Amino acid sequence: MRDFFHWAAAFSIQHRRLVLGLLAILTLVSAIGYVNPRLLSALFIQPQQADQVASEKAPSSDEAEPPNVSPISLSNSDAVLVVEAEDFFTPRAVTALGQVVDELEAMDQVASVLWMDCVPILNIFGLPEPLLPRATASQARFDKSREKAMQHPLVGGQLLSDDTRTLLMLVNLDYYFVFSDEDATTALRETAERVAANYPDLKFRFRVTGRVPSAIAAISRHEANQLKYQLFGYGMILLMSLILFRGIRAVIIVSLAPAIGIFWTLGCIRYFEYNDNPLIDVIVPILVSLVGLTDGVHLMVQIRKLRAAGADYVDASIQGLQQVGLACFLTSLTTAIGFGSLMLADSVWVQQFGLCSMIGVLLCFVAVTTIIPLACSSWLGQGIERGLDRSLIDQNLGRIEGLITVVLRRRRLLSASGILLTAVLVFISLSLKPDHRNSDSLPESAEATQALFHVDRAFGGLEFSRVEINWDATLEPNAPEILQVVQQVDDLLRAEELIGHPLSIRNLIDAQPGSGPLEERMTLLELLPPPLKRAFYTPERRQAVVNFRVQDLGIAAYGPVFERLEQELAQIEEAHPNFQVSLAGGAVRRWRNLYQIVVDLAASLGTASLVIWIVLTIFFRSLRLGLISIVPNAFPLALTGAYLVFAGYNLEIVMVCNFTVCLGIAVDDTIHFLTRYLEEGRQATSNDLAIRRAFTGVGTALIMTTAVLVAGFGIVTFSDSRDHHIFATMGAITVASALFCDLVFLPALLACFGRPEKKALVEGGSIRLDEQAMAEDCCLR
């Protein structure tokens, strides 16, 4: 493989027109991806036939069709207008709220508004009975209406908070008239605020949250961050490169290769039509640029050194690529393996991110190993060695060369410390628990996010889950046992602190006048309005539900709660053999799939680690070096995991991605160091001398790439996206600790366990050691 890279390096420079032609074709394909990706994909992908659409399942013959009734729902609204005030039960407050609702319903995009004054009636005679009195009523009637509202099962704890200071208005939209994001968000709040401005003494506060506003907030944040932090990140990379290289031509060439690699990557992945994936649009460009920049820095440092040593610009480009190209290929391969392992994850977003990142790394490798040598061997590369003597790293590298002396003296202590510390950090990292929050994808400062948090505190949650109760055909629709099971389920839910305000037919029946045995009260269901009754009871499907609220505290907090509930629901099933009782809903589904996060991490990280270790062992032809590389590659990940534990984080999907990404990045510096170590080991007279030469040979590039990577990640930490902040923080910690490992632990481990090949020079039939190497060894000693 080394011979092949030597041939390929010379071929790419000597046949530059052919290489440039191939690069132009790749650029054209990428450009088409930006303009019209279906132009090329249509040549390979046949359109789906209309007759392949799956038909809907017909109802079974023994199952009656429910009547055409739209059940009332507290959980399926498009938007929620959260209203806060000191007292809603005053004449002026009721008048103002009525006008707010009238103005909202007058908006073209609003189909309906459900609030406490328009909930279905519950009196057994079916007569209209408004919950709120008229504005001319006495304050005593308003005080009584407050008590009445809190006793209504659809109002108390559902549309009106327990302290009666927060009111929810559930808004359903008519999407034929929604022409902008503002129509579903700020327009609703501004309409309400405009009415409330006529009542300044009431001090109403309005905020909009819910399914649609939250989705809009996530997408808007994603689009805003997509360009802003890419520009900030690239600007910081350019600035750091200029400071470190101290040469404008070198900076331009090094920056040009990742830029072209990003252009190719974004253009090619558009053919997959992965739309609205924030990991791809924001993280992939920065990540690919940083990975490409690390290899570009190593290659440019080597070419500049060769130019400074007297090689012309063509020979320096060829030799630089021959000396560093193989290591760059290996780093790109291992990084691509790390990204590719994410395709084993269960999450579609993570799979897409892994595939696109893998493609990006490979394309960036092509860009680095072609653009930089071609540019350095052209007129643009003339004088790139200027500023080498003023390089910030090279000027100060001598000050840290004393570090390698200390490392070699304390080799056993540092080796043992590295191994032990890595094991301890891995043990700490294993305590990470998987978790997921709906607000993770939302900007923390967004109105929808803050309103969601307020509803969680005031109502016990904005999201609903449920317990589904099914019975077999042997029971009559009005069997008393149905209400008995519902009551038992309701009691279980009310006993859990994190479960908010269970709602079922039990609440509706309890709100009816009278008392008596269950078999008599079950018949009261027939007196309820059908939209209200069928929201919790569907006799044709032999099903009843008990809805309850869950807060956005993270599924990890609800794990023990759901486990207890499932055990207790199983006991109810045993006591009532004709019933099947189960938890359902979005929160329950996420809890049941939560273990998949751990499975994804184990599968992707384990697979990537194993494959990378095998690749390194085969490439270096040494099981010993493969084992030595474990500590410098595992320590950065273990340290990052321990940081997450001590910082109070749980294991989330973005962290699953980042652990595998960090493995691919951390192994890069290790590969460059080991590659240089083996090169020097063929000529050095001792193992220590090979380590010293490897340290001084790649130390400049390692420090430069780490500085640039940390700067790039540091910019993204200022994002208001929690996921982006975590991703960047983990990346910065991993890269910085990887540098420490490669400059401290790796040399110590090589000094203790490494055995480089010593190259004997045969001259005149006798074997002699390189005298120059011996002299250098003595001087260093």
Side-chain angles (χ1 to χ4, degrees), residues 750-770:
L750 290 173
C752 288
F753 307 107
R755 295 290 186 273
E757 299 177 3
K758 294 182 179 180
K759 182 178 180 181
L761 302 179
V762 180
E763 183 174 330
S766 62
I767 300 177
R768 67 176 181 83
L769 295 174
D770 188 350

Side-chain angles (χ1 to χ4, degrees), residues 578-594:
N578 297 326
F579 286 80
Q580 299 84 41
V581 187
S582 60
L583 285 168
V588 177
R589 183 174 59 254
R590 293 195 301 274
W591 165 65
R592 286 177 176 155
N593 294 332
L594 195 60

Side-chain angles (χ1 to χ4, degrees), residues 607-628:
T607 302
S609 301
L610 179 61
V611 174
I612 289 174
W613 178 78
I614 294 175
V615 169
L616 294 181
T617 301
I618 294 175
F619 176 78
F620 293 128
R621 297 181 181 180
S622 171
L623 179 62
R624 185 191 303 270
L625 290 182
L627 294 174
I628 289 175

Side-chain angles (χ1 to χ4, degrees), residues 638-698:
L639 178 64
T640 303
Y643 159 78
L644 296 175
V645 173
F646 291 126
Y649 288 105
N650 291 312
L651 185 62
E652 303 170 14
I653 292 179
V654 65
M655 299 175 187
V656 174
C657 296
N658 207 19
F659 271 119
T660 308
V661 169
C662 289
L663 174 63
I665 295 177
V667 76
D668 287 2
D669 289 347
T670 303
I671 290 174
H672 282 285
F673 194 103
L674 289 177
T675 303
R676 190 58 176 265
Y677 167 73
L678 290 178
E679 291 284 349
E680 299 295 343
R682 294 186 177 92
Q683 301 177 356
T685 58
S686 67
N687 188 31
D688 286 6
L689 181 58
I691 295 173
R692 289 178 182 273
R693 290 179 173 178
F695 181 91
T696 56
V698 300

